[in-house]
Amino acid sequence: MATSQDVVLSTRDGNVVTWTINLPEARNPISGDAVVDRLVELVEEADRDIDTRVVILTGAGSAFSAGGNVKDMDERRGMFGGAPHALREGYRRGIQRLPRAIYHCEVPIIAAVNGPAVGAGCDLAMMCDMRIASTTAFFAESFVKLGIIPGDGGAWLLPRAIGAARAAEMAFTGDRVDAATALDWGMVSQVVEPEQLLDAANALAARVAVNPPNALRMTKKLLREGQRVDLDTLLELSASLQALSHHSEDHREALSAFLERRTGDFTGN
């Protein structure tokens, strides 16, 4: 029997951690409790570990994530079963834990979208900070095709990634957006051949991971807060975090490395 560690694998290479949704036969659905629990657990681990500077999130097999388990939906099992109040709680205590965890993870996350990202799988990619897609990938905000709505925060996430009009087009039609269009729309920053995807994601991760870890985390915090507060509030928060930065050992090391034209050696202090 698969353990919780089996449904999402975690591997480390230096300061970069890769999470792989590992249900390829089912095209990596994320609506089950085991996957949600595991991803939330991994976020908590990353937040606690200052040596984790970047996370790469990808899927095993040919799909990034098919989103919700349609078979369970059809048979009204698991989170899709019960009376309306039970369904509401199923979403709140189930898949809705993912956007709260992934979006607010303190560590920058790169989605390496290896194949179809459908429904909640599309929204999972939008929860991440950066996205690289394989040429075989496509994105579909396809809830309307099943007569339902984005129950996992997609209506909040998608417009912030690609703008209101394009998000509305995707949500109202449920149509697929291929990798080339995703690049044109700014949904992803790179499109590469399938065999190059993880190399490209790791190359981007390496460019991020060379930087001081607390500065990375605070920068991500400011980017997230900047989406929901006014300028004066963000400036006040920036001043406070900047004061912390100026008194860090990593700041002194970064200055020395810059002046000496060498790579910095950062410890998170």
Side-chain angles (χ1 to χ4, degrees):
M1 176 178 289
T3 66
S4 63
Q5 286 76 20
D6 292 329
V7 296
V8 184
L9 306 177
S10 179
T11 57
R12 174 183 289 275
D13 183 5
N15 298 118
V16 179
V17 174
T18 299
W19 302 336
T20 305
I21 307 169
N22 190 38
L23 297 168
E25 297 84 3
R27 298 170 65 79
N28 300 323
I30 57 172
S31 55
D33 288 341
V35 174
V36 172
D37 289 346
R38 177 62 170 157
L39 283 171
V40 171
E41 174 186 58
L42 289 171
V43 168
E44 292 171 351
E45 288 179 5
D47 285 349
R48 288 194 300 267
D49 180 15
I50 197 63
D51 289 328
T52 299
R53 299 187 189 177
V54 192
V55 169
I56 297 170
L57 175 62
T58 193
S62 62
F64 177 72
S65 174
N69 189 316
V70 177
K71 189 171 183 180
D72 284 352
M73 202 179 300
D74 181 53
E75 297 176 1
R76 299 196 173 185
R77 294 185 305 193
M79 67 171 287
F80 304 116
H85 69 273
L87 272 161
R88 174 175 179 264
E89 286 303 303
Y91 273 87
R92 294 177 67 222
R93 301 182 187 280
I95 198 169
Q96 287 187 353
R97 294 166 60 207
L98 278 185
R100 292 189 173 98
I102 300 292
Y103 183 83
H104 291 296
C105 180
E106 294 180 9
V107 179
I109 302 178
I110 301 167
V113 185
N114 53 298
V118 179
C122 177
D123 294 339
L124 178 65
M126 300 306 114
M127 296 171 202
C128 301
D129 303 282
M130 298 162 279
R131 290 169 286 278
I132 298 175
S134 159
T135 54
T136 61
F138 66 79
F139 300 83
E141 190 76 350
S142 55
F143 301 93
V144 71
K145 294 291 191 185
L146 297 176
I148 57 175
I149 53 91
D152 59 349
W156 190 89
L157 293 158
L158 194 59
R160 283 166 169 77
I162 61 172
R166 284 168 172 162
E169 180 179 335
M170 288 186 69
F172 294 156
T173 66
D175 291 345
R176 298 179 178 185
V177 170
D178 63 21
T181 302
L183 180 63
D184 181 58
W185 286 6
M187 184 183 291
V188 302
S189 58
Q190 297 180 50
V191 173
V192 299
E193 294 300 323
E195 63 273 13
Q196 298 171 346
L197 179 65
L198 287 181
D199 286 344
N202 276 288
L204 175 58
R207 289 164 52 205
V208 175
V210 296
N211 295 305
N214 281 314
L216 285 173
R217 292 178 180 221
M218 288 189 287
T219 299
K220 175 168 178 175
K221 179 68 172 175
L222 288 175
L223 288 170
R224 292 300 197 223
E225 291 298 314
Q227 294 182 339
R228 67 189 188 92
V229 301
D230 61 25
L231 176 60
D232 288 341
T233 301
L234 188 73
L235 288 172
E236 187 63 34
L237 177 59
S238 300
S240 299
L241 295 182
Q242 192 73 296
L244 295 175
S245 300
H246 278 294
H247 279 267
S248 68
E249 293 179 16
D250 278 349
H251 170 57
R252 302 306 307 174
E253 168 62 10
L255 288 174
S256 297
F258 178 82
L259 294 171
E260 296 166 13
R261 298 186 179 182
R262 60 174 174 82
T263 301
D265 182 16
F266 303 116
T267 62
N269 293 313

